[in-house]
Amino acid sequence: PRVTLVTSLGEIVLELEPERAPNTVENFLKYARDGHYNGTVFHRVVDNMLIQGGGFTPDLQQKPTRAPIRSEAGNGLLNDRGTLAAARMPSDPHSASAPFFINVVDNPRFDHRSDKSAFGQGYTVFGRVVSGMDVVDRIRAVETGAQGNLTRDVPLVPVVIERVDVLDDETDASDAG
């Protein structure tokens, strides 16, 4: 399936990988269909790393989420530039919920490794940008600083995810029988 992130700086089209990360894709699509992402912001922007969103309102209030899902980081997909990954707590590989990030550079340190530490278990890649990397690059270039309870890397002017449109959802077609 493909989804469009309609942001205040332009549109980003993502192609999801349900074959490689079925639970993570299903989780993301549930949040998208429920309207969870509408009106959220990219709350963490690190120019040489990632842009992260989907968890906070423009006034930096954290949105409630469903129970976290298990990591699928060992699926063979790498945290390369333009890939979409599930955000999680660094200390718990199985803590992903609604927030996600787009890698703005190759981030091999986020890839699944054989060591058993929480960080070594990696971050689940579950899609990639197929259109709109220019928008991703505009977002990564915004001025950031401390805002609210977040100590750094917050855009000083909010970058809003106005809505997420599911463009072609193969899971709906297969559910129909």
Side-chain angles (χ1 to χ4, degrees):
R2 288 187 177 198
V3 299
T4 300
L5 302 180
V6 179
T7 79
S8 55
L9 291 181
E11 294 186 0
I12 303 166
V13 179
L14 304 167
E15 185 170 85
L16 307 180
E17 295 273 359
E19 313 78 34
R20 305 288 280 279
N23 296 331
T24 308
V25 168
E26 178 184 354
N27 181 64
F28 180 84
L29 288 173
K30 278 184 188 172
Y31 280 111
R33 283 190 211 104
D34 291 348
H36 174 91
Y37 296 123
N38 300 349
T40 60
V41 295
F42 282 97
H43 65 276
R44 183 171 178 231
V45 172
V46 185
D47 176 47
N48 61 348
M49 189 184 312
L50 56 82
I51 62 173
Q52 182 174 332
F56 289 84
T57 62
D59 62 354
L60 299 177
Q61 297 302 305
Q62 193 163 7
K63 290 190 77 170
T65 60
R66 292 188 298 276
I69 61 170
R70 293 200 56 80
S71 173
E72 296 175 300
N75 63 15
L77 297 173
L78 302 177
N79 282 276
D80 290 338
R81 174 173 161 76
T83 57
L84 174 68
R88 64 170 176 82
M89 301 304 296
S91 61
D92 183 358
H94 306 296
S95 61
S97 59
F100 59 88
F101 63 90
I102 298 172
N103 289 288
V104 301
V105 297
D106 291 351
N107 282 312
R109 65 185 174 271
F110 293 160
D111 293 339
H112 180 77
R113 297 186 295 277
S114 59
D115 77 70
K116 300 299 180 202
S117 71
F119 197 80
Q121 291 188 37
Y123 290 77
T124 302
V125 173
F126 66 100
R128 63 185 173 87
V129 175
V130 293
S131 175
M133 271 310 287
D134 58 323
V135 176
V136 171
D137 287 334
R138 277 200 295 279
I139 296 169
R140 78 184 271 200
V142 300
E143 188 177 353
T144 62
Q147 297 278 328
N149 291 332
L150 302 177
T151 59
R152 62 174 192 234
D153 305 323
V154 181
L156 298 182
V157 174
V159 179
V160 179
I161 300 169
E162 295 168 358
R163 69 180 191 276
V164 176
D165 296 330
V166 179
L167 301 179
D168 50 62
D169 190 345
E170 295 163 5
T171 58
D172 282 349
S174 64
D175 288 347

